[in-house]
Amino acid sequence: MAPILRVHVPFLKISPSKVARREHDVSTYEAVHVRKTGTQPRVMSVSTSVDYHGVSALVRFTRPHTVLGTVTSVCSMTLLAASHVRIFDVFGILGQALLPAVFMNIAIVGLNQVYDKRIDMVNKPYLPMASGEFSSNTGLLLVSASTAVAFTWGALSESTALISTLLVSLVLGILYSVDLKMLRWKRFPLLAAGCILLVRALTVHVGFFLHARFESCCMS
């Protein structure tokens, strides 16, 4: 007789009645197999569990609240600047800007975590760099990959405003976080506040507004 195949899927919810019925069926099969052959049937187990811990660490690395802020800014500026074109064109313009904006956001907050590792071990121990879930090399790899995706997508759009916005945001992120001579402006209150204001209040809003306005004018 064929071996029994048991599949354990811990992240799926099955009603108790179905579980009991299937357990009864398996038990009946095993009893019949023993009576006919005198041996227990072979049982093969297949595990389909998901590494939720790794996914959770990656999500925490991206700092979701900052991603939400970036998405809100890009969407609002795009809708404001391209309100005179068709809705499908608006979504096209938004698609050009949203993906590179999110990946650049991840690169900047990731870079900050790499250089704030010791501080975060005290203030934010739940972050993957501080908790040891991600090594410094892993963090830098994620930062590099995010930066590459952002600039590649931005270059494909052929939008000077978009590429300039990404570049200025990255430069300010480096000035703010990287612990090298003449850098790491976050050590100085005025310079730290200036970096944050330049990125969040000026660069993002003005840059993505200009991108959407130029693109929408080309479609008019």
Side-chain angles (χ1 to χ4, degrees):
M1 299 179 72
I4 300 172
L5 178 63
R6 289 178 177 170
V7 179
H8 303 286
V9 189
F11 52 88
L12 293 180
K13 293 184 178 179
I14 304 175
S15 65
S17 60
K18 288 184 178 180
V19 172
R21 187 164 57 252
R22 293 188 179 183
E23 289 293 334
H24 177 267
D25 292 341
V26 170
S27 298
T28 302
Y29 174 85
E30 291 176 342
V32 171
H33 184 83
V34 170
R35 285 200 303 269
K36 289 185 176 182
T37 65
T39 60
Q40 289 287 343
R42 290 179 297 158
V43 178
M44 297 184 298
S45 296
V46 179
S47 177
T48 57
S49 59
V50 176
D51 184 10
Y52 287 114
H53 188 70
V55 174
S56 173
L58 183 59
V59 170
R60 281 179 278 124
F61 182 81
T62 65
R63 308 292 276 147
H65 67 282
T66 65
V67 173
L68 179 60
T70 297
V71 170
T72 302
S73 298
V74 174
C75 289
S76 60
M77 290 299 98
T78 301
L79 292 174
L80 182 64
S83 58
H84 58 284
V85 299
R86 297 176 302 174
I87 187 64
F88 294 107
D89 293 332
V90 173
F91 283 130
I93 296 171
L94 184 60
Q96 288 180 335
L98 193 56
L99 184 67
V102 168
F103 274 96
M104 183 54 68
N105 184 98
I106 295 172
I108 292 172
V109 298
L111 191 66
N112 188 59
Q113 289 177 68
V114 170
Y115 285 96
D116 272 8
K117 187 174 180 178
R118 292 183 179 179
I119 298 174
D120 289 341
M121 289 173 69
V122 177
N123 296 331
K124 302 171 185 175
Y126 54 86
L127 293 178
M129 295 293 301
S131 65
E133 294 168 276
F134 286 172
S135 65
S136 296
N137 288 338
T138 300
L140 289 173
L141 179 62
L142 290 172
V143 169
S144 300
S146 299
T147 303
V149 172
F151 278 116
T152 300
W153 194 270
L156 290 174
S157 71
E158 298 181 352
S159 169
T160 301
L162 177 57
I163 296 173
S164 299
T165 301
L166 297 173
L167 182 60
V168 171
S169 298
L170 179 62
V171 169
L172 288 172
I174 292 172
L175 291 173
Y176 181 82
S177 299
V178 176
D179 193 8
L180 293 175
K181 189 176 181 180
M182 304 296 292
L183 302 182
R184 198 162 176 78
W185 288 5
K186 67 183 302 177
R187 293 176 297 175
F188 311 102
L190 290 178
L191 289 176
C195 276
I196 295 171
L197 286 173
L198 280 173
V199 173
R200 288 296 178 183
L202 184 64
T203 304
V204 170
H205 289 88
V206 174
F208 288 110
F209 179 90
L210 292 176
H211 163 71
R213 177 54 59 91
F214 292 152
E215 293 298 314
S216 61
C217 289
C218 294
M219 295 177 180
S220 299

